[in-house]
Amino acid sequence: MCGIVGYTGAKLAAPVLLEGLRRLEYRGYDSAGICVGRDGALTIVKRTGKIKDLRGAVPDLPEGSYGIGHTRWATHGGVSDANAHPHADCTGKITIVHNGIIENYASLKEKLLGEDHVFRSETDSEVIAHLVESVYDGDLERAVKEALALLKGTYGIVVMHSEVPGKIVGARNGSPLVLGIGEGEMFLASDVTAMMAYTKQVVYVEDGEVVTVDPGGFRTSDLKDNSITKNVEQIGWELEEIEKNGFASFMEKEISEQPESILRAMRGRLDAEQATGHLGGLNLSSKELLEIERVKIAAAGTSYHAGMVGAYLLEAMARIPAYAELASEVRYRNPIVEPQTLHFVVSQSGETADTLFAMRELKRKGATVLGICNVVGSTIARETDGGVYIHSGPEIAVASTKAFTSQITVFYVFALLMARMRNMSFEEGSDLVRDLDAVPRLVAEILEDKATIQALARKYSWAKDFLFMGRGINYPVALEGALKLKEISYIHAEGYSAAEIKHGPIALINERTPSLFLIPDDRLRDKIISNMKEVKARSGKVIAVCVRGDDEVAGIADDVILVPKVHELVYPFLMVVPLQLFAYYCALDLGRDVDQPRNLAKSVTVE
Ligand code: M6R
């Protein structure tokens, strides 16, 4: 979603801002712009399209050593040069960039129009520049605070004024903002990746806080001007982790990293001696863990699918009733928080608005909420009562891949821990430790067979519609396979429980609608084979992801993707990887922008 950068120091600001924006491209955007200050004047350059278009359109970048920049993902107002940020006030002396949504912008705009302010865009954001203008009396920080007090909604903003060279004011309410501390220079950004090339010393700005920077330092305070002391933290990622490192795309890189990322998610967390799991950050005693009678999981998109697998694992291993729900529904359902119920929110980015608001609603009602996040220091990671980092390293591609396998790794370890405290024997626990331990190697084996999946993608990428079928623990994997295919290839795809197709979706089957069946060697295999035969009987083409040596399935399906035979609870790790690759290669075959698919944003920070 939208990205923010700000810089003040001794360097030329424009190249720093553009480099920061380039690093934020993965978040998804439709236009970009910068504003640079020099000699008491501000110059704005903004365009629809990509950063390279902006750069190409303005070969002579504005000079000056402080500035702000933005990548916009349209919410209020279409995709146009005028609606791109930065936005200026009437005088052109004040400029702002904004992430989030100003809910009361219409009434504020009406009032400002009545005071003869001239608006140049259709955005909600522009009102901020005019509000600051209307209260500015020489003190930019105070004017920003007064303006913010009038806003309803969410924001991460940075603001500059030509009369205070080198000074930038940032503020946050519901949209991330991070301060980066360099040597005689300061950075502001919505995401640490924008500043990692320059500094690893950061301060996470919290909701309700305002930060004012100049090259020599920073001050944090609240809207009532109480000073706030902040901790300086160190970014844990390396710059090379946010580079493609020879891969054609971030998505291909991230799919390929899974043997290592799954290993990182389980490292130090599997205890072979006690046949159990250890998760340090739960902040729950053994007694509290034993008292848990129910688990509820809230998440969005791929993280929701991981939550569904997690719920299955908890019920299967630990016999604890568990279910996953869409975070966007939890919040508005007035959720019932019951005693002895543990809540999880799952989010790669830790910034997804739906998940964040669901978490706050649950906490408001007294729930204990744990997080499963990837981004260290993210809002969800900081606001939950405890939780587990998946340690996947940065996930840059919009389509989430390695985060999914790491999230289910963490659920597996948690389910094992809960199971061993309750019903599960040492022998069974040992088997499950061994089975998970083998996963990185087995995923690496599947990745070695990429060429087969690429050939299949070429054979089927003509399809306009695709169905994905799975059952039991692999039903969420079918949903995930369909999500991957639709988001990056734009082929319409739906996931179903294979048993459900006879209740409606089978009407879609014909020779032009292929299906992909997940057929592990488990209790439901024979039933899924029957469902596959029903599809074949209606001229439907079938790809089956099945176990090596399953000649019966190979004899029925048109094509097969083979995976090793494993314990039934381990199949999601192995089944999802071919689906990620299938989606990836279909998208490549169709010439899609794999890392930045149309209309999508990596981190969905608005509702
Ligand atoms: O950062 P989160 O895990 O909270 O993101 C949730 C979804 O927005 C995300 O998984 C989305 O569905 C991806 N594009 C899926 O590939």
Side-chain angles (χ1 to χ4, degrees), residues 61 74 108-109 186 276 288 298 323 354 376 397 424 507 591 594 604:
L61 290 172
L108 292 171
K109 186 169 176 175
M186 293 285 160
T276 188
E288 286 167 320
Y323 75 89
D354 290 327
V376 176
M424 187 179 278
V594 179
V604 185

Side-chain angles (χ1 to χ4, degrees), residues 193-247:
T193 53
M195 57 180 77
M196 274 176 64
Y198 306 102
T199 182
K200 284 189 152 191
Q201 306 282 321
V202 295
V203 169
Y204 293 100
V205 180
E206 306 281 348
D207 281 353
E209 290 181 355
V210 175
V211 57
T212 301
V213 299
D214 60 32
F218 70 94
R219 171 178 186 258
T220 32
S221 54
D222 63 17
L223 289 185
K224 294 193 175 127
D225 207 35
N226 301 303
S227 289
I228 298 170
T229 308
K230 302 289 293 180
N231 290 332
V232 178
E233 298 179 40
Q234 181 84 5
I235 302 172
W237 292 341
E238 297 301 325
L239 192 58
E240 65 180 33
E241 292 183 83
I242 56 170
E243 307 281 5
K244 284 188 198 151
N245 289 336
F247 284 92

Side-chain angles (χ1 to χ4, degrees), residues 125 164 180 250 289 300 324 329 350 427 443:
S125 308
V164 278
F250 281 111
L289 286 173
E329 294 300 322
E427 287 70 25
V443 167

Side-chain angles (χ1 to χ4, degrees), residues 147-160:
L148 293 182
L150 302 171
L151 300 182
K152 287 202 181 100
T154 56
Y155 54 78
I157 55 160
V158 293
V159 185
M160 54 196 268

Side-chain angles (χ1 to χ4, degrees), residues 300-303 346-350 352 355 398-400 407 483-484 487 602 604:
T302 291
S303 295
V346 189
S347 175
Q348 185 284 130
S349 62
T352 300
T355 312
V398 163
S400 186
Q407 288 162 344
L483 177 64
K484 286 289 91 78
E487 69 180 332
K602 178 65 181 164
V604 185

Side-chain angles (χ1 to χ4, degrees), residues 13 71 190 326 346 367 378 400 404 412 421 453:
T71 46
S190 48
L326 289 168
V346 189
S378 57
S400 186
F404 177 84
Y412 189 108
M421 294 175 86
I453 299 167

Side-chain angles (χ1 to χ4, degrees), residues 255-310:
I255 291 173
S256 308
E257 281 172 354
Q258 288 178 107
E260 175 55 28
S261 55
I262 294 170
L263 194 62
R264 280 202 300 267
M266 68 171 84
R267 190 171 284 147
R269 293 170 171 171
L270 277 184
D271 179 344
E273 225 164 81
Q274 302 297 326
T276 188
H278 291 302
L279 291 168
L282 300 178
N283 296 339
L284 293 171
S285 65
S286 301
K287 182 169 174 290
E288 286 167 320
L289 286 173
L290 266 173
E291 282 168 359
I292 292 166
E293 290 174 4
R294 223 168 288 101
V295 173
K296 293 182 179 176
I297 302 159
T302 291
S303 295
Y304 167 62
H305 299 151
M308 291 174 80
V309 174

